[in-house]
Amino acid sequence: MNRHNYAYYVLDNPTIPDAEYDKLFRELQALEQTHPELASSDSPTQRVGAAPLPQFAQVTHSVPMLSLGNAFDDSDIIAFDRRVKDGLKLDGSVAYATELKFDGLAINLRYEDGILVQAATRGDGATGENVTVNIRTVHAIPLRLRTAHPPRVLDVRGEVLMFKADFAKLNARQRDVGQKEFANPRNAAAGSLRQLDSRITARRALRFFSYGIGLLDGADMPPSHSALLDWYAELGLPVCGERAVVEGADGLLAFFHGIGNKRASLPYEIDGVVYKVNRLDQQRALGFVSRAPRWAIAHKFPAEEALTVVQGIEVQVGRTGAITPVARLAPVFVGGVTVTNATLHNEDEVRRKDIRIGDTVIVRRAGDVIPEVVAFVPEARPADAREFTMPSVCPVCGSPIVRPEDEAIARCSGGWIKCAAQRKGGLLHFVSRRAMDVEGLGDQLIEQLVDKHIITTAADLYKLGVTALAGLDRMADRSAQNVLTALEKSKKTALARFIYALGIRHVGEATAKELARHFGSMDALTQATEAQLLEVSDIGPVVARSIVAFFSDSLNIELIEQLRAAGIHWPEGVSESKPKPLLGKTFVLTGTLPTLTRDAAAEMIEAAGGKVAGSVSRKTSCVVAGEEAGSKLVKAQELGITVLDEAALRALLKSD
Ligand code: IVH
């Protein structure tokens, strides 16, 4: 089990599914119950937490835990590199270890003779809190180091944090049980670790990355920071893979920009990167100023969260009529841009977060994601803060706003005929990149075209001429011509794109592709019954009903006809080129096939019009099973689904 843990947390290369690990865990628990003499204190079963503490004891760090100086732009980094070179009296370039600045909390782990004996928070740097029982519940942290010759004493320093996905799950759980949600993964990690009841900590998915050292006794100090981290990984301590050794300021900046591009896709939050002089002898030579080392610096990203005041809450009307409350904010610089609006998603969300006009709030803008209001600051709420009330009529068209009881979203009931906001939204969706992909037709143009009653429907777009367009604000003949060319180009499209462009409720890109594949033609789709739609994989009753409703509206049928008359076309009919004997069939692959790799088999099935899914359900047509097929084969047999071997699959591909 420790080997599996090591593979998972240190090598980032899981060796068994979670369910298998849980099975081993229960087996070990049972074994320890019948043979208590075999249960050791570093057994994986000893990570479940203990009775609550009255308070945390104080721990004095044997080597103080320092902080880092901050840098925000390139010139700060060039100056840092200069100071380091001057301090070392070096002419050539310095080698730096670069790593991430994790947004969690710093911890010191003390290992004596390879056994975890104490864990303490950083506290004020000199003394922290003893959180050993809590830390023992963190599976990423080894209770015993993986070595036959451990040092007598080793203080490992690093960051405890919560991954984004685990944070989302925790908040969903908090919401379900009516408990307060955490504002961000850092708060969730801190709140989880500093629980007097470690059984609660045990239920929170905390992680750990090592990045430093305190006391070391009974082993040689590695020569460099990178060698230290390599040694840690060997000892079974998690070390983040996003690290490098680079030369000089150029190397530092290249690392910074590389990580900046990756930041949003990392599974955890970081607030910057950290640079450390790699050689430990050079680190010692440079020493410290006050409480920060001269040999290291944090290069921070612009903050993703900031405080500002809600000046008003207005509503926006989307293309499906969905009414979204939007907070109007006092301008604030966050995530690298000035933000004046932030979404509040829907009415329930406003109530749940209890955001009021006049509140001071935390605004978050991460990457290119639209800014959102995270929470209000209770201490800063003015006495006259006003609650938001959902308007009863649409601010754009005056139609009643309705909210079905079982839905979170209130909608304008005007539809696109009455409501200009819906019309604009629908048109913008129609021309968007993943739909008809009309370049150069943005929201400002659509806005003017609709407001000036030049167009009403998507079909009107294709009737536009240079004069109509060139008469608009910020439109020269040349750009008008470009829009017309883009419109012309968009006429040659694909069925899936066209279906998606129609903006049928609940029909996103993936569903549109599925519909195109299944029905092969627009006519077949428009005539499909609910029962026929339900045969399409991934389509349930709600989506089927929405599609039928869309095509039973004569205005929509008329629109499609007009668009086709305007020249929009796509290669229709699926069996024109090659026969597609597996059309509409879903396959699941399991086990090892005698000659085909799984990817090759999937490709062959898809080329024949079939679909490959990851799990077996009632919608599965066939399971293709090879050697050592497991639970998927069992499930197929239970559900009475046809099971094929490779030869039978090949025969099927050849038939028809
Ligand atoms: S090294 C003497 N490395 O940042 C060097 N700190 O401002 C001390 N942090 O309290 C810290 N990632 O909580 C270091 N890769 C990293 C870090 C890191 C995050 C945090 C840590 C520390 C604070 C210092």
Side-chain angles (χ1 to χ4, degrees), residues 487-551:
L487 277 163
E488 196 54 40
K489 204 175 118 199
S490 74
K491 288 181 183 172
K492 184 176 177 221
T493 186
L495 178 57
R497 276 181 176 271
F498 185 72
I499 296 170
Y500 173 62
L502 291 173
I504 306 167
R505 231 170 113 192
H506 304 301
V507 177
E509 225 187 333
T511 307
K513 278 193 188 145
E514 213 42 66
L515 289 168
R517 199 198 328 237
H518 188 94
F519 291 100
S521 80
M522 198 65 215
D523 291 338
L525 173 61
T526 49
Q527 283 152 26
T529 62
E530 253 181 67
Q532 286 168 332
L533 286 161
L534 285 171
E535 282 169 22
V536 183
S537 58
D538 298 339
I539 288 194
V542 175
V543 186
R545 228 171 291 141
S546 160
I547 296 169
V548 169
F550 184 89
F551 292 119

Side-chain angles (χ1 to χ4, degrees), residues 286-450:
L286 286 160
F288 299 85
V289 258
S290 67
R291 301 177 56 217
R294 278 203 196 88
W295 45 264
I297 199 160
H299 192 174
K300 305 267 285 248
F301 294 126
E304 289 188 325
E305 289 185 357
L307 290 179
T308 188
V309 173
V310 178
Q311 295 174 327
I313 300 179
E314 290 167 16
V315 298
Q316 252 169 18
V317 188
R319 87 180 148 87
T320 60
I323 305 282
T324 309
V326 175
R328 302 282 174 229
L329 305 168
V332 61
F333 192 73
V334 55
V337 299
T338 301
V339 167
T340 51
N341 300 314
T343 179
L344 289 163
H345 300 292
N346 59 53
E347 196 179 0
D348 290 350
E349 184 91 346
V350 182
R351 302 275 170 261
R352 194 165 59 74
K353 290 183 174 166
D354 191 19
I355 308 290
R356 302 189 190 175
I357 300 157
D359 269 341
T360 295
V361 291
I362 303 170
V363 181
R364 181 176 171 75
R365 181 184 179 271
D368 289 329
V369 181
I370 48 172
E372 61 167 351
V373 175
V374 178
F376 78 99
V377 181
E379 307 81 56
R381 170 165 285 174
D384 62 349
R386 269 186 303 126
E387 273 187 63
F388 163 75
T389 45
M390 181 58 93
S392 56
V393 297
C394 172
V396 176
C397 73
S399 303
I401 288 178
V402 290
R403 178 174 167 188
E405 241 171 59
D406 50 349
E407 281 185 31
I409 308 288
R411 283 173 208 279
C412 158
S413 59
W416 62 268
I417 310 257
K418 284 198 198 136
C419 186
Q422 294 187 47
R423 219 148 47 229
K424 288 175 192 168
L427 287 163
L428 267 174
H429 172 77
F430 185 84
V431 300
S432 65
R433 199 168 55 81
R434 300 182 157 278
M436 301 303 286
D437 192 19
V438 186
E439 230 176 283
L441 200 53
D443 49 355
Q444 297 191 1
L445 261 189
I446 297 274
E447 180 106 27
Q448 292 185 64
L449 288 167
V450 172

Side-chain angles (χ1 to χ4, degrees), residues 51 55 66 70 75 91 109 180 306-307 312 333 391 438 440 452 460 463 490 535 571 577 580 605 619 634 639 648:
Q55 64 185 58
L66 301 161
N70 288 329
S75 64
D91 278 337
L109 305 175
K180 201 170 152 26
L307 290 179
F333 192 73
V438 186
K452 296 189 172 158
D460 299 336
K463 297 177 196 147
S490 74
E535 282 169 22
S577 45
K580 306 246 175 198
I605 291 167
K619 289 200 177 140
V634 176
L639 294 174

Side-chain angles (χ1 to χ4, degrees), residues 416-417 550 552-560 562:
W416 62 268
I417 310 257
F550 184 89
S552 42
D553 185 337
S554 60
L555 284 174
N556 290 329
I557 297 292
E558 205 177 297
L559 174 69
I560 294 166
Q562 285 176 359

Side-chain angles (χ1 to χ4, degrees), residues 138 161-163 166-167 170 173 192 201-207:
V138 178
L161 66 162
M162 191 178 281
F163 278 22
D166 295 321
F167 166 72
L170 170 61
R173 218 164 59 209
S192 302
T201 317
R203 291 200 292 268
R204 306 275 173 85
L206 293 174
R207 296 287 196 126

Side-chain angles (χ1 to χ4, degrees), residues 66-68 99-102 106 122 159 211 274 276 293 295:
L66 301 161
S67 65
L68 290 169
E99 53 195 35
L100 305 182
K101 186 162 195 307
F102 306 105
R122 173 167 178 270
E159 200 90 344
Y211 55 62
V274 180
K276 297 171 180 170
W295 45 264

